[in-house]
């Protein structure tokens, strides 16, 4: 999840200090890392989150939080952003509207790759489908950030191995938020 956020923002989004980034779906696992990494870089972070996750998204460092259950993000973001990272399971029409929030030369990076990322060539906005790749060096950088207290890993719950089927069932129903650690039995 951390690698996905890292590669989206920096390999593809080329996000730098002072830029504006919209993280759509910041209430989830990838989004939570993305908000922290973007803020650490010195970007202005706009995040969408439902009331359930808005506090954690603010704590992660978002400068602005848009409640996607009450407002369309396209109506809430009034100044162009440099990068949009979409990690939310929105519908294709909502995804198609996101390039309209981006300045010329900016990018939309999308992780929900069952819908191709739209571009707006007329206005110089590029859509990128992200497929995370393993990268030991980047992972080591993320671990170093965690060790320095600059990246927080939200552990929502610890679950005994015997309860793994129940955990999977809850996850499939959308009832698991954040990282769950599965604990093996002690010998
Ligand atoms: N392509 C790749 O290589 C790759 C890699 C990793 C993940 N992914 C994909 O990336 C997506 C995000 O992963 P994740 O683990 O972060 O998922 P997740 O934990 O389920 O997070 C998604 C979050 O989106 C928020 N959301 C739901 N509906 C929304 C809406 N209409 N507008 C804005 N936000 C909304 C929800 O938070 P609130 O309702 O609390 O706001 C939810 O927690 C998943 O679809 C996953 O499959 C792709």
């Amino acid at each position: 999840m951390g690698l996905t956020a890292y590669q989206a923002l920096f390999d593809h989004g080329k996000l730098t200090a002072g830029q504006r980034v919209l993280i759509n779906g910041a209430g989830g696992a990838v989004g939570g890392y993305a908000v922290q990494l973007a803020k650490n870089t010195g970007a202005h972070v706009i995040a969408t989150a439902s009331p359930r996750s808005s506090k954690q998204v603010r704590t992660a460092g978002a400068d602005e939080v848009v409640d996607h259950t009450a407002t369309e993000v396209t109506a809430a973001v009034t100044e162009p952003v440099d990068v949009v990272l979409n990690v939310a399971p929105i519908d294709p029409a909502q995804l198609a509207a996101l390039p309209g929030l981006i300045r010329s030369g900016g990018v939309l990076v999308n992780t929900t790759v069952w819908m191709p990322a739209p571009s707006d060539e007329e206005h110089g906005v590029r859509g990128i489908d992200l497929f995370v790749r393993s990268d030991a060096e980047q992972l080591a950088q993320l671990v170093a950030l965690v060790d320095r207290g600059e990246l927080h890993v939200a552990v929502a719950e610890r679950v005994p191995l015997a309860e793994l089927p129940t955990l999977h069932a809850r996850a499939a129903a959308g009832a698991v938020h954040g990282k769950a650690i599965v604990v093996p039995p002690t010998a």
Side-chain angles (χ1 to χ4, degrees), residues 24-36:
N24 195 37
V30 176
Y33 289 117
V35 171
Q36 294 180 72

Side-chain angles (χ1 to χ4, degrees), residues 86-110:
N86 182 62
V87 292
I90 52 178
D91 66 42
Q94 290 172 312
L95 186 66
L98 293 178
L101 301 176
I102 305 172
R103 68 159 176 81
S104 175
V107 293
L108 164 65
V109 184
N110 183 44

